[in-house]
């Protein structure tokens, strides 16, 4: 069957363009470490490069692809760069990039079985692998979503629908039968913004998040949590969810999961573990103790686009009782599917998650896990943890740095510049902000500040498998040198 030559490229032209794309990617990766990690240009510099009228006539593909190399790459922060330490961004892999091309080429829509058979089967298979690798409860189910924010939103929606004793599907939060104030509980030191977004989307209001005191090591204070739940119930509130950190964003804290599960059972609330950064650490046998009890949570989320290096976007939510997905997201319409074949239920993701149409995200995880193997990933995770521990070692060894967290268990590490110890905290906040700005301006590394217990600190997210100990040493030395200029 011939394709439409007005849209489809002739095979040779497609092949040539495809090889050109691959050549450019190969060159990009070959020169990655020599490139500046962050462009120092402003929007006023970059916007004019793209400020063209909407194209009325088509142009040559060569020219368009060349713009990737000439205009897009030089004006982009390079997440794959070994000195990109900001936010919690994954370094990306070539295998993932190839998977994206293959997924786009087939272009399935794994909203459900009828639309995408192999893709739907692969998605459930990958979820089974992950349940196994993370030592979650056998029989758990789940799906891929855009990222941690959507995974947390989906988890809160499931928490809400499982707790609701009124017709939440039809009446939602407008029901006259709904309780006065529905509340969620989380340790106070971070409470990742994704939960505020989730509360916005669900219409619960940001005030629904109750921040529970945490210990000096940033783990949630279980006694304070129980007290708060009792007090809130006595005050007429309806707690519906506890959120535990499986790797918090600033210090990589791991809450005591078994204890959290015990409290959640006692109060009849859902337990969600936000493992966007850290749930994958459960794959490491040496961290088994720290992840004890993760399998007891009602839901666990993680981002494959972070520590696993799968290209954006790829978040995941896993649920101990897969029926909860349908309870929260089930929907039907004559044009979706008309018969009720129960054998299709596990593959009908439109009925089990927040999206209708969806991309073939599972392919990049499936290909990555197959190519690197769990053992390959374990080695890669260990390397990033070793880098974070090395940073801790360097910080402890120099009086210009203040240790603000315990030895890192994951790849995230925060610390604060204090210099010769003569400056007050406000002045030190200013110096710490300048260190991060200067590191970026001088293009040594992209580091970022955060606030820990109210004070500005440096924060390194070392999720990239390309980062070496030498990168860590050079980065911390350059930061100290900038601090000393003050
Ligand atoms: C702990 C935690 N939760 C949730 C998120 C949100 O994930 P995403 O940016 O993929 O939506 C992040 C992102 O860094 C995170 O670190």
């Amino acid at each position: 069957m011939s394709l439409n030559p007005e849209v489809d490229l002739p095979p040779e032209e497609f092949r040539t363009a495809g090889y050109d794309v691959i050549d450019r990617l190969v060159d990009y990766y070959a020169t990655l470490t020599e490139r500046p990690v962050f462009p120092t240009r402003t929007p006023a510099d970059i916007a004019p490069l793209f400020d063209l009228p909407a194209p009325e006539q088509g142009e040559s593909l060569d020219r368009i692809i060349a713009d990737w190399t000439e205009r897009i790459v030089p004006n982009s922060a390079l997440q794959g760069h070994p000195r990109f330490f900001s936010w919690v961004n994954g370094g990306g892999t070539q295998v993932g990039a190839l998977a994206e091309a293959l997924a786009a080429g087939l272009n399935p829509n794994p909203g459900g079985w009828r639309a995408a058979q192999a893709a739907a089967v692969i998605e459930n298979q990958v979820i089974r692998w992950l349940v196994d690798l993370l030592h979650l409860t056998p029989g758990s189910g789940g799906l891929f979503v855009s990222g941690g924010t959507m995974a947390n939103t989906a988890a809160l929606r499931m928490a809400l629908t499982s707790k609701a004793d009124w017709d939440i599907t039809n009446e939602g939060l407008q029901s006259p039968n709904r309780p006065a104030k529905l509340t969620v509980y989380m340790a106070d030191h971070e409470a990742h913004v994704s939960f505020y977004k989730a509360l916005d989307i669900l219409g619960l209001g940001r005030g629904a998040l109750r921040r529970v005191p945490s210990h000096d090591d940033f783990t949630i204070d279980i006694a304070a949590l129980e007290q708060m739940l009792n007090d809130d119930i006595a005050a007429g509130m309806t707690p519906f969810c506890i959120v535990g950190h499986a790797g918090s964003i600033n210090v990589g804290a791991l809450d005591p999961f078994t204890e959290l599960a015990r409290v959640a059972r006692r109060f009849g609330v859902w337990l969600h573990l936000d493992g966007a950064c850290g749930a994958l650490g459960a794959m490491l046998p040496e961290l088994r103790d720290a992840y004890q009890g993760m399998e007891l949570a009602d839901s666990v989320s993680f981002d494959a686009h972070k520590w696993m290096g799968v290209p954006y976007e790829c978040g995941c939510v896993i649920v101990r009782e897969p029926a909860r997905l349908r309870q929260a997201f089930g929907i039907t319409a004559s044009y979706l599917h008309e018969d009720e074949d129960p054998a299709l239920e596990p593959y009908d993701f439109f009925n089990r998650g927040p999206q209708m149409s969806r991309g073939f995200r599972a392919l990049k995880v499936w290909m990555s896990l197959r190519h690197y193997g769990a053992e390959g990933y374990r080695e890669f995770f260990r390397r990033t943890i070793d880098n974070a521990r090395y940073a801790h070692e360097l910080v402890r060894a120099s009086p210009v740095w203040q240790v603000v967290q315990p030895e890192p268990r994951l790849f995230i590490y925060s610390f604060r510049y204090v210099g010769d110890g003569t400056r007050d905290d406000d002045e030190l906040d200013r110096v710490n902000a300048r260190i991060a700005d200067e590191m970026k301006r001088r293009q040594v590394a992209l580091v970022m500040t955060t606030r820990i217990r109210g004070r500005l600190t440096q924060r390194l997210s070392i999720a990239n498998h390309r980062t070496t100990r030498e990168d860590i040493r050079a980065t911390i030395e350059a930061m100290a040198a900038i601090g000393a200029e003050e």
Side-chain angles (χ1 to χ4, degrees):
M1 190 170 58
S2 63
L3 301 175
N4 178 349
E6 283 170 24
V7 178
D8 297 306
L9 300 175
E12 274 319 303
E13 205 179 306
F14 186 25
R15 198 184 306 278
T16 307
Y19 287 164
D20 183 25
V21 166
I22 287 294
D23 284 344
R24 285 168 192 276
L25 285 170
V26 171
D27 291 347
Y28 167 71
Y29 277 108
T31 54
L32 183 56
T33 53
E34 294 138 39
R35 292 170 183 268
V37 58
F38 191 83
T40 49
R41 295 174 199 155
T42 64
D45 302 322
I46 297 176
L49 300 175
F50 300 96
D51 184 16
L52 300 167
E56 203 58 53
Q57 303 298 328
E59 64 180 308
S60 102
L61 199 53
D62 294 356
R63 183 61 255 150
I64 304 168
I65 294 173
D67 272 350
W68 183 82
T69 311
E70 291 163 22
R71 299 196 212 195
I72 297 177
V73 174
N75 291 301
S76 299
L78 303 183
Q79 304 214 135
H81 196 290
R83 294 197 189 173
F84 188 109
F85 296 122
S86 292
W87 301 287
V88 190
N89 284 2
T93 60
Q94 291 95 341
V95 173
L98 295 175
E100 286 287 61
L102 292 173
L106 182 64
N107 196 26
N109 177 354
W113 167 260
R114 282 186 177 73
Q117 299 71 26
V121 168
I122 287 174
E123 183 148 353
N124 278 335
Q125 180 60 57
V126 176
I127 297 288
R128 273 195 296 277
W129 283 348
L130 289 162
V131 167
D132 202 26
L133 291 171
L134 301 183
H135 309 283
L136 297 175
T137 303
S140 299
L143 76 167
F144 290 100
V145 292
S146 55
T149 303
M150 192 42 71
N152 288 337
T153 306
L156 286 196
R157 165 87 190 148
M158 286 187 281
L160 202 53
T161 47
S162 81
K163 179 76 184 177
D165 55 8
W166 73 98
D167 182 3
I168 187 166
T169 303
N170 290 305
E171 296 175 0
L173 297 179
Q174 318 223 49
S175 168
N177 301 319
R178 96 175 177 92
K181 180 159 183 170
L182 291 148
T183 44
V184 183
Y185 298 77
M186 199 170 177
D188 61 355
H189 60 93
E190 283 167 19
H192 192 268
V193 288
S194 53
F195 287 97
Y196 291 110
K197 272 199 180 291
L199 294 171
D200 289 350
I201 292 168
L202 295 170
L204 284 160
R206 297 183 188 186
L209 193 76
R210 310 276 292 140
R211 300 175 69 141
V212 182
S214 48
H215 297 294
D216 288 348
D217 68 355
F218 302 95
T219 57
I220 194 165
D221 180 336
I222 295 288
L225 170 66
E226 291 186 288
Q227 183 66 50
M228 207 169 191
L229 284 161
N230 277 324
D231 292 349
D232 284 0
I233 291 166
M237 298 181 199
T238 306
F240 74 95
C241 186
I242 298 171
V243 178
H245 282 121
S248 64
I249 189 162
N250 285 329
V251 297
L254 298 162
D255 279 327
F257 306 141
T258 308
E259 280 293 278
L260 283 179
R262 181 186 59 74
V263 178
R265 298 272 188 287
R266 181 178 152 212
F267 286 89
V269 303
W270 186 273
L271 174 62
H272 173 61
L273 299 182
D274 178 8
C277 306
L280 290 167
M283 282 172 66
L284 296 173
E286 60 271 32
L287 291 183
R288 278 305 288 145
D289 285 354
Y291 286 85
Q292 226 31 271
M294 192 161 96
E295 71 285 359
L296 303 172
D298 295 290
S299 55
V300 177
S301 58
F302 80 93
D303 273 349
H305 61 211
K306 291 186 165 64
W307 209 5
M308 235 180 148
V310 163
Y312 285 82
E313 302 166 344
C314 200
C316 183
V317 60
I318 297 182
V319 197
R320 199 161 42 81
E321 295 173 19
R324 299 294 184 184
L325 292 163
R326 180 85 187 247
Q327 183 185 23
F329 297 105
I331 199 145
T332 191
S334 56
Y335 47 82
L336 292 176
H337 74 108
E338 279 152 19
D339 63 296
E340 286 289 326
D341 182 351
L344 300 188
E345 200 280 332
Y347 304 103
D348 278 346
F349 295 100
F350 71 87
N351 240 339
R352 329 178 89 219
Q355 286 178 268
M356 298 299 297
S357 298
R358 319 163 63 237
F360 191 4
R361 295 188 184 104
L363 185 69
K364 50 196 172 186
V365 186
W366 185 70
M367 283 181 57
S368 300
L369 275 170
R370 281 186 60 185
H371 178 70
Y372 299 108
E375 208 37 43
Y377 268 112
R378 288 189 193 102
E379 278 315 306
F380 151 30
F381 296 158
R382 284 183 184 121
R383 178 183 169 132
T384 62
I385 295 171
D386 177 69
N387 279 332
R389 292 195 175 149
Y390 181 52
H392 182 57
E393 212 177 291
L394 296 177
V395 162
R396 271 193 320 180
S398 164
V400 304
W401 297 113
Q402 180 192 1
V403 172
V404 301
Q405 67 163 91
E407 177 172 55
R409 288 201 275 193
L410 304 178
F411 58 90
I412 297 172
Y413 186 60
S414 291
F415 52 106
R416 176 164 156 94
Y417 184 80
V418 288
D420 59 9
T422 56
R423 277 166 282 196
D424 68 19
D425 272 333
D426 289 341
E427 181 57 12
L428 286 175
D429 281 357
R430 192 192 60 73
V431 177
N432 276 278
R434 179 164 179 271
I435 292 173
D437 285 349
E438 276 298 301
M439 289 291 285
K440 186 165 76 175
R441 203 184 60 76
R442 298 179 195 183
Q443 297 188 329
V444 186
L446 191 64
V447 299
M448 248 183 196
T449 57
T450 188
R451 279 191 187 271
I452 294 198
R453 308 272 190 226
R455 286 298 163 195
L456 215 75
T457 59
Q458 307 297 328
R459 174 180 169 281
L460 299 182
S461 164
I462 318 169
N464 193 329
H465 57 279
R466 301 180 186 103
T467 305
T468 61
R469 277 185 162 224
E470 174 51 24
D471 289 311
I472 300 295
R473 194 195 52 73
T475 298
I476 293 182
E477 273 181 20
M479 293 167 86
I482 294 168
E485 290 168 10
E486 285 283 317

